[in-house]
């Protein structure tokens, strides 16, 4: 009688069912707004790639974010792209590049970075007994592929008769068009069904006017745009 192999001796591996074989990608790398993006942008486990030619991209040739297991790219050409040839953002570190031709790229031929997870912008709840002013700051990087809207309600006790003012202390971004920028929405109350006081685009080196509530509660909601750098500092002040 043959004994079954103990389950603890088995190793679970992840691999993609997708294949890129003898594929040519030229002059790619622009999104719907005309901004430069990677020609081949992969989130999670990459497809099997063999015989891929990727040239003349407006940004990185291949951008790999958070692969879940080891992978191989072989017999491929990544050349003459404006950014890095291959950008790998991973904590797995089991990458095999075999029989590759990587040349003439504007950045590194192969750029490897360990995955960094950034926290949400607003991570504290401010209770009535806490003291104003308070500041909140946030940094979002272009290479992040997991970004989400986040929010926080600020409030003062009703018996104080105070209201809240939001001061925008500084913005930094790689977007100059406010219509396509990440935004901070400010609501005159605790939910986004409250009156919208302002929707402020995060545009580089701008200092928008302060916004003051008419109530004891104010909601700040950050609405990010993926694939872009964005950072900000805001200050919330209680005043009469």
């Amino acid at each position: 009688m043959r004994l079954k192999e103990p389950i603890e001796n088995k190793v679970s591996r992840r691999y993609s069912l997708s294949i890129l074989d003898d594929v040519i990608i030229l002059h790619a790398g622009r999104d719907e707004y005309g901004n430069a993006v990677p020609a081949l942008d992969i989130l999670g486990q990459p497809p099997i790639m063999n015989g891929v030619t990727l040239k003349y991209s407006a940004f990185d040739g291949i951008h790999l974010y958070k692969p879940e297991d080891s992978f191989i790219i072989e017999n491929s050409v990544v050349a003459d792209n404006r950014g890095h040839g291959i950008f790998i953002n991973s904590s797995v570190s089991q990458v095999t590049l075999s029989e590759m031709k990587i040349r003439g790229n504007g950045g590194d031929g192969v750029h490897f970075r360990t995955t960094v997870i950034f926290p949400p912008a607003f991570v504290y709840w401010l209770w009535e007994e806490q003291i104003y002013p308070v500041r909140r700051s946030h940094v979002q990087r272009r290479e992040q592929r997991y970004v989400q809207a986040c929010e926080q309600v600020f409030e003062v006790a009703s018996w104080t008769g105070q209201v809240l003012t939001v001061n925008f202390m500084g913005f930094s971004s790689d977007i100059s068009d406010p219509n396509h920028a990440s935004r901070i929405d400010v609501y005159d109350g605790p939910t986004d069904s409250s009156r919208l006081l302002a929707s402020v685009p995060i545009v580089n080196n701008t200092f928008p006017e302060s916004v003051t509530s008419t109530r004891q509660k104010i909601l700040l909601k950050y609405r990010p745009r993926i694939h872009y750098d964005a950072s900000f500092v805001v200050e919330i002040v209680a005043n009469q």
Side-chain angles (χ1 to χ4, degrees):
M1 179 178 179
R2 186 177 180 181
L3 296 176
K4 292 184 178 180
E5 184 180 358
I7 192 169
E8 59 267 18
N9 291 336
K10 294 183 179 293
V11 177
S12 177
R13 304 301 300 268
R14 294 179 180 272
Y15 62 93
S16 175
L17 298 178
S18 300
I19 299 174
L20 294 179
D21 190 13
D22 291 328
V23 174
I24 299 175
I25 302 174
L26 304 176
H27 301 286
R30 291 287 178 184
D31 67 8
E32 58 185 311
Y33 304 114
N35 296 299
V37 296
L40 187 56
D41 198 7
I42 300 168
L43 170 62
Q45 189 62 17
I48 298 170
M49 286 183 275
N50 179 62
V52 175
T53 297
L54 204 157
K55 302 175 71 175
Y56 314 124
S57 169
F59 193 49
D60 297 337
I62 302 175
H63 192 121
L64 301 153
Y65 184 75
K66 296 191 73 173
E68 299 169 336
D69 209 325
S70 60
F71 64 92
I72 299 174
I73 305 175
E74 54 188 348
N75 304 313
S76 297
V77 177
V78 183
D80 303 313
N81 302 289
R82 288 191 175 182
H84 303 303
I86 302 175
F87 188 111
I88 303 169
N89 194 337
S90 170
S91 58
V92 176
S93 304
Q94 298 179 22
V95 181
T96 300
L97 303 177
S98 177
E99 300 294 328
M100 300 289 295
K101 294 181 180 179
I102 303 173
R103 63 175 184 267
N105 298 288
D108 298 332
V110 178
H111 186 92
F112 194 97
R113 176 178 292 181
T114 301
T115 298
V116 177
I117 299 175
F118 293 87
F122 306 125
V123 294
Y124 303 106
W125 185 268
L126 193 65
W127 299 99
E128 290 183 355
E129 62 267 29
Q130 290 186 294
I131 299 173
Y132 291 93
V134 294
R135 288 192 177 189
R136 292 290 182 264
S137 62
H138 177 66
V139 177
Q140 175 184 313
R141 297 301 186 195
R142 173 187 287 269
E143 59 267 20
Q144 287 178 253
R145 291 299 180 268
Y146 294 106
V147 294
Q148 61 181 6
C150 47
E151 61 186 55
Q152 184 176 355
V153 174
F154 299 89
E155 61 181 297
V156 290
S158 57
W159 58 264
T160 64
Q162 294 180 317
V163 292
L164 295 166
T165 296
V166 181
N167 299 318
F168 302 97
M169 309 301 291
F171 287 166
S172 178
S173 173
D174 56 357
I175 297 180
S176 58
D177 185 350
N179 294 320
H180 300 145
S182 300
R183 311 186 76 83
I184 299 175
D185 291 344
V186 183
Y187 294 90
D188 194 17
T191 69
D192 57 11
S193 62
S194 304
R195 182 168 66 97
L196 179 64
L197 295 174
S199 183
V200 182
I202 299 175
V203 178
N204 198 41
N205 295 324
T206 57
F207 297 90
E209 293 184 4
S210 299
V211 178
T212 300
S213 68
T214 62
R215 306 166 64 182
Q216 281 73 47
K217 295 182 180 181
I218 195 168
L219 169 66
L220 270 63
K221 177 173 284 190
Y222 173 56
R223 302 182 185 275
R225 290 295 304 270
I226 197 170
H227 301 310
Y228 300 108
D229 290 338
S231 61
F232 61 83
V233 179
V234 296
E235 179 185 61
I236 299 90
V237 179
N239 51 279
Q240 297 291 341

